[in-house]
Amino acid sequence: MTDRPRTPGGAVPPGRRPRPATPRRRPGGGAGTLPDPAAPRGSGPRKAAPASGRTQDRTQDRAQERTQPPRPRPPRRPPPRRRQTMRLKDPMKRLNAGLLIIAFVLSLFAGRLVQLQGIDSGKYEALAMDQRLRRIELPAVRGTITDASGRPLALTQEARGVFADPSLIDPAKRTEVAARLSSMLGLDVQKVLEAISTPDSRYVVLAHSVTPEKGRLVLSLGYRGIGVVPESRRSYPSDAVAANVVGFVNQAGDGGAGLEYAQNKLLKGVPGWQRVEISAGDGQHIPMGEGQTQEPVPGQGLRLHLDQDIQWEAQTALADAVKEFKAESGTVVVMTPDGRVLAMASVPTFDPNEYAKADSSELQNRVVQEAFEPGSTGKVITAGALLEEGLVTPESTFDVPDHLWKYDKKFKDSHEHETYKNITFGGILAKSSNVGTIMASENLPDDKLYNYLTAFGFGAETGVGLPGETRGLLHPPSTWSGTDRYPISFGQTVSVNSLQMASVYATIANGGVRVTPTLVAGTLDEDGAFTAAPAPASRRVISEATSHQLIRMLEGAVGREGTAPAAQIPGYRVAGKTGTAERYVEKAGGYKGYTASFAGMAPADDPQLVVQVVLQDPKKKYYGGDTAAPVFQKVMSFALKSRKVPPTGTVAPTLKMFAD
């Protein structure tokens, strides 16, 4: 059924009844008519005829809708844009675009080329060089150490260093290589295996200071990635002679003890380096390849005051005494009155060529590193102070009992005796009486005694320049208790090292002037030219007259009525003093055993040499006159003959030990 056509203008065709208008519904579902858009703002709604209840409900709904705000309408989506495509209808445009892209890519390559060949050329050249060259350290030739006559105590010899290039070693052969090399070079096989397995490494040192013969054997194995380089090795031709003085050089090429340690910088010099070209195949050095070298600067040598022959005799005599008297250790010092050290022996000792086999006690230089209470050898300081201050003379007399009490403490002599009636001060020193020394020093103030001790070198390093030296123990008077000054006067409750005590007797032998002990005479350059060391410091401690008085008194101690007749040397006048002191052992927390010692000089009327001997904890005999004095006699006799010191031909005056 088709609709009838409407008449123009929207009129209803004739013969048809018009359809009532249906009110338009507002958004939100409410009924009612929409306002006429053409109606003026503010005009009210059109009046409607009364309607039924349904119509009223719709009217109410429209009224409610008017009071509510209108709901926003969703925005309209813009129509989709058409995709525009670039069409290069002209072939020339396409060609130009392609050329532009190619030019851009080529400019990137050109820029990189400029960077590699121009800006960073040095960097990449160095990297390329590193792939072909290997840096090898060239240690400087270490300076020689000689005795006073130029005989070598330590010298440098030709050697080889063994290295590995882990990147060239076949992993399947590493265990075999490690086993062969460790056996040949005396190394730990596990450490060698770890070294040749080091990742990302081209150079690993396996051993230093290998003899040239062993270096050739290593190369004869034919292992790829194992090579040798020239080096030098430290050798000690006299073996254990002066070992504790000279020291040793460790695997790293640095001094490990003694003068090798103390003078390491001077002896070592300045190391150099060499960059050598290495073949890509087997990693061997190309002799005619490119390379760079920084030559090392050789170290300076040292000439010592030590006399190798006297040193050998001192060590031999000391070792025999330590063994004979079952002592724990011992030391011997031989020096001139002006402080030059001719021998410095320490037992036990070691061979510096095989220092790794020695324990710490053997490596120790006990002459300067071990402190002990000097005992009666220290009485000469108290005697010198009393003579210098005019408080006594060698002929001053005392009645000395076997013992005496000071406050609540008993002091006694080493031997029981009846009271020495009218014994002279010279006799007190010759008999080594502790009680007599206390009685003679009663009027010496504490600070005076302390000042003389420090002037003779107690409580301070000697200045000899050896490592690990102990200052000993000397407290200031302000800390002394009521009875401390008495044992201090006869050499107890203070401690010194052997060189300090030898220096005391050298000061007396030198007319009362103390000279700093010296071991190094001077330096040697690479051509052997000698430069003397600066003169050591010196200062007067006591007058020459006092020193002569002390020497005459010390001659009495070596006489028949003294404590050390075993120190006498036929044809020579000898002056000296024994010492037998209780030995303080830190580990035990108290005194245990004894320290036996003797210090003396000869010829007594013109002193040329001073010898000091110490034996620690001798168990067979422990008196200094029985144990240390015989060692003094052997060493001094040899030293006098070695130095060609003739007897003076004079006769020692008789020491008056008792007054009439």
Side-chain angles (χ1 to χ4, degrees), residues 314-315 318 330-334 343-346 367 611-614 631 635:
Q315 287 188 206
L318 179 62
T331 61
V332 170
V333 177
V334 182
M344 187 181 286
S346 180
V367 171
V611 175
Q612 202 251 355
V613 181
V614 177
V631 179
V635 176

Side-chain angles (χ1 to χ4, degrees), residues 236-249:
Y236 303 89
S238 299
D239 299 328
V241 175
N244 302 91
V245 179
V246 174
F248 61 89
V249 174

